[in-house]
Amino acid sequence: MATYSTNEFKAGLKLLLDGDPQAIVENEFVKPGKGQAFNRVKLRNLRTGRVLEKTFKSGESVEAADVMDTEMQYLYNDGEFWHFMVPDSFEQYAVGEAALGDAGQWLKEQDVCTVTLWNGEPLSVVPPSFVEMKITECDPGVRGDTAQGGTKPATLESGAVVKVPLFVEEGETVRVDTRNGEYVSRV
Amino acid sequence: MSDWRPGAAPARMARARLLAGLRAFFAARGVLEVETPVLGRGAPQDPMLESWEAQAPDGARGFLQTSPEYPMKRLLADGAPDIYQIARVFRAGESGPRHNPEFTLLEWYRHGLDHRALAREVVALIADQAGLSPEWRAPRGCEEIAYAELFQSALGVDPLAADVAALERVAAAHGLTVGGELDRDGWLDALISLVIAPGFPPDRLTILHDYPESQAVLARPCAERPGYAARFELYWGDLELANGYHELTDPEVFRQRRARDIALRRARGQPLPPVDRYLEAALESGLPDCAGVALGVDRLLMQLLGVSRIDQVVDFPWSRA
């Protein structure tokens, strides 16, 4: 069983705490000059996404979480699972709805995503930062209409809805930043 | 790569001004500047301080000082007048937003003063230094409070009477749980550092005096408060700046505490550096009645400039030293 001592703590390190894999977001060393040292740690639960703070006596060891980020290509959805493949090994993984989370709305076949595995099981999926998708539904734009700040909602082929400028039309392909869900440009 | 560059340019002039100001403060008060070795043959046994070991070319062991306390006390036992030193000190493993393993410590000793009187001189020194530049922050007000009273008023516990389970409950009631087993002093430290001090008003100085005897280090037992020692700490806001003692002069008590520290180190599997025999001999010869204090110069500079991280006042922190 791999463990990390508090003096190895740094942002990004993955620990197994309360039965869940958790990533260190922030680690602060606190110590009175003549007293006991502590590590105050902000952790993100990789299963639930919740962030919490924990304090450790410095020098303590904590079990490491067997968590690995792997680049995988999105293949298809069979109605229940989303299937991904490691391009080098052709190894396939089926991801359930809970682990997929919000990433589902940005998935396009062939796109390469980061799949986080915990003990070999998919834990979460991060889509590419930018995706290019076709607009499947959108009202025709009226030039000069700024009633909605110059944007209108558009539905993409994945089902995601983004705000696009009025001049963008149905059937066009647009580039979207998946981190904030914002339209970037026409392609 | 630009990580060769110094990182604290805005603080550089201020540091030079502060160092000159500290020397002027002591010159005006007739306190003598001294220098003692950075590298010693022994090290303190305090289980809360880890010395940084250096290997001499002839195979002899050397230890970078965690403070200049031991040699300065040898000077005092030899008849030195009031003395001060601006020293570079090293504490292994201490690295964080408010810690750099190498830092600058101002340490001084005053004959005939007790810890409370010396604490007030520290306050005077800070006020004096804050006046060096109109752009620097100055503390507003100072609260003097005994350790026991602070625990009583802030948490409603008696720090000596409460056992580990009671302290753990108090911590939990304030949202603090700690991974790893703590003894009573460990819980008291956790409560001070993580619950009480964060509530100190940011502009105020706090003199916290008369620490539990289990945390006496080299302070003499408190005559008027049994179970406590004549030790103080000074905070600016929630930042601990200085630690001082009405100095322990009794070599027998010194030996007892050292034996307890060594036993603790052994039990916890910590390194056991060689004992500094010279300090014990100096105490046997006779340390005059005096009080001493060590103040973190980098942290004082942080507060004067109103910055929150030590690497904002240190050009080359250990990660890039």
Side-chain angles (χ1 to χ4, degrees):
Chain A
M1 179 184 82
T3 61
Y4 291 115
S5 160
T6 55
N7 52 40
E8 298 171 275
F9 279 14
K10 59 173 187 227
L13 205 70
K14 294 172 179 85
L15 308 173
L16 186 66
L17 284 166
D18 308 324
D20 276 346
Q22 316 215 11
I24 295 180
V25 180
E26 230 176 83
N27 168 48
E28 187 180 353
F29 178 79
V30 179
K31 181 184 185 300
K34 297 283 181 184
Q36 177 65 51
F38 301 96
N39 288 66
R40 287 220 101 167
V41 186
K42 212 177 260 177
L43 296 149
R44 193 164 46 83
N45 186 315
L46 295 174
R47 213 174 45 77
T48 64
R50 267 187 60 213
V51 174
L52 84 168
E53 238 182 50
K54 260 196 168 340
T55 303
F56 296 92
K57 177 183 170 183
S58 294
E60 283 295 301
S61 286
V62 181
E63 198 177 333
D66 184 14
V67 168
M68 231 172 41
D69 289 342
T70 311
E71 303 280 285
M72 295 189 203
Q73 201 170 43
Y74 171 58
L75 299 178
Y76 64 97
N77 171 19
D78 66 10
E80 188 181 0
F81 289 102
W82 286 256
H83 296 267
F84 290 82
M85 181 183 74
V86 184
D88 300 338
S89 64
F90 306 109
E91 205 176 342
Q92 292 195 17
Y93 290 86
V95 178
E97 195 168 359
L100 189 71
D102 293 339
Q105 61 176 326
W106 304 118
L107 290 182
K108 204 175 98 180
E109 286 168 19
Q110 315 299 325
D111 274 0
V112 174
C113 302
T114 304
V115 179
T116 303
L117 298 175
W118 174 38
N119 296 330
E121 291 292 321
L123 191 65
S124 63
V125 176
V126 178
S129 299
F130 298 97
V131 292
E132 290 175 2
M133 286 193 187
K134 195 180 248 183
I135 297 176
T136 54
E137 199 186 324
C138 154
D139 291 336
V142 182
R143 254 171 226 287
D145 180 358
T146 54
Q148 288 173 308
T151 64
K152 59 184 179 182
T155 307
L156 306 181
E157 55 184 305
S158 64
V161 177
V162 294
K163 282 186 176 162
V164 298
L166 299 174
F167 57 79
V168 177
E169 305 289 350
E170 195 171 298
E172 286 188 290
T173 299
V174 291
R175 187 171 167 82
V176 179
D177 186 334
T178 62
R179 293 163 298 187
N180 52 20
E182 281 174 16
Y183 163 91
V184 178
S185 64
R186 268 195 297 195
V187 180
Chain B
M1 292 288 272
S2 64
D3 59 359
W4 63 269
R5 283 188 195 279
R12 209 168 298 142
M13 296 272 282
R15 176 178 288 269
R17 180 177 286 188
L18 176 60
L19 290 173
L22 293 170
R23 291 197 159 95
F25 177 86
F26 288 111
R29 292 180 176 225
V31 181
L32 182 71
E33 179 164 13
V34 296
E35 287 191 343
T36 55
V38 166
L39 196 55
R41 291 182 178 274
Q45 305 298 316
D46 185 339
M48 295 305 175
L49 286 180
E50 234 29 282
S51 298
W52 201 307
E53 185 163 0
Q55 189 85 48
D58 64 359
R61 298 176 79 186
F63 295 87
L64 294 171
Q65 64 180 351
T66 56
S67 85
E69 179 174 11
Y70 287 19
M72 287 182 83
K73 284 182 174 171
R74 286 162 68 188
L75 293 176
L76 292 164
D78 187 52
D82 291 339
I83 49 175
Y84 81 96
Q85 177 165 197
I86 297 173
R88 281 308 185 85
V89 302
F90 303 83
R91 295 181 182 181
E94 300 192 8
S95 215
R98 295 171 159 195
H99 292 82
N100 193 50
E102 176 179 355
F103 61 101
T104 305
L105 200 63
L106 164 65
E107 181 145 337
W108 76 98
Y109 290 86
R110 289 292 223 160
H111 288 272
L113 293 191
D114 69 4
H115 60 305
R116 307 279 304 272
L118 185 60
R120 288 190 277 272
E121 186 169 54
V122 181
V123 173
L125 174 136
I126 293 170
D128 186 75
Q129 301 305 303
L132 290 177
S133 165
E135 288 163 20
W136 288 1
R137 289 171 69 228
R140 262 186 244 150
C142 175
E143 161 116 0
E144 273 186 65
I145 186 162
Y147 192 94
E149 284 157 23
L150 180 65
F151 269 79
Q152 201 59 257
S153 68
L155 305 175
V157 289
D158 177 334
L160 289 197
D163 59 12
V164 166
L167 294 173
E168 196 168 350
R169 273 198 305 277
V170 170
H174 287 82
L176 175 69
T177 57
V178 177
E181 204 177 315
L182 295 175
D183 59 11
R184 217 166 53 88
D185 286 314
W187 275 111
L188 293 175
D189 285 337
L191 288 167
I192 280 277
S193 302
L194 303 169
V195 177
I196 300 177
F200 289 162
D203 285 342
R204 198 192 68 189
L205 300 179
T206 303
I207 296 172
L208 189 55
H209 59 85
D210 299 353
Y211 274 63
E213 205 160 6
S214 53
Q215 299 178 25
V217 200
L218 292 182
R220 67 177 60 188
C222 216
E224 61 274 26
R225 210 187 283 266
Y228 289 88
R231 172 183 164 196
F232 76 92
E233 293 237 358
L234 185 121
Y235 286 80
W236 182 340
D238 68 344
L239 187 65
E240 178 197 341
L241 287 187
N243 173 67
Y245 314 132
H246 192 189
E247 298 294 346
L248 174 70
T249 54
D250 184 337
E252 193 43 48
V253 177
F254 171 75
R255 276 189 288 269
Q256 286 164 12
R257 289 190 191 160
R258 189 179 60 191
R260 191 182 63 186
D261 284 349
I262 291 173
L264 269 174
R265 279 187 166 269
R266 198 162 274 140
R268 295 172 183 174
Q270 290 174 260
L272 288 162
V275 160
D276 183 323
R277 302 248 165 244
Y278 299 116
L279 178 64
E280 185 180 356
L283 290 173
E284 286 290 356
S285 155
L287 181 69
D289 179 31
C290 64
V293 62
L295 178 147
V297 173
D298 313 272
R299 286 188 174 189
L300 175 57
L301 192 54
M302 284 165 65
Q303 289 297 49
L304 290 169
L305 300 180
V307 300
S308 58
R309 295 194 330 269
I310 198 163
D311 62 8
Q312 291 171 287
V313 299
V314 174
D315 267 318
F316 305 109
W318 171 231
S319 58
R320 296 185 290 110

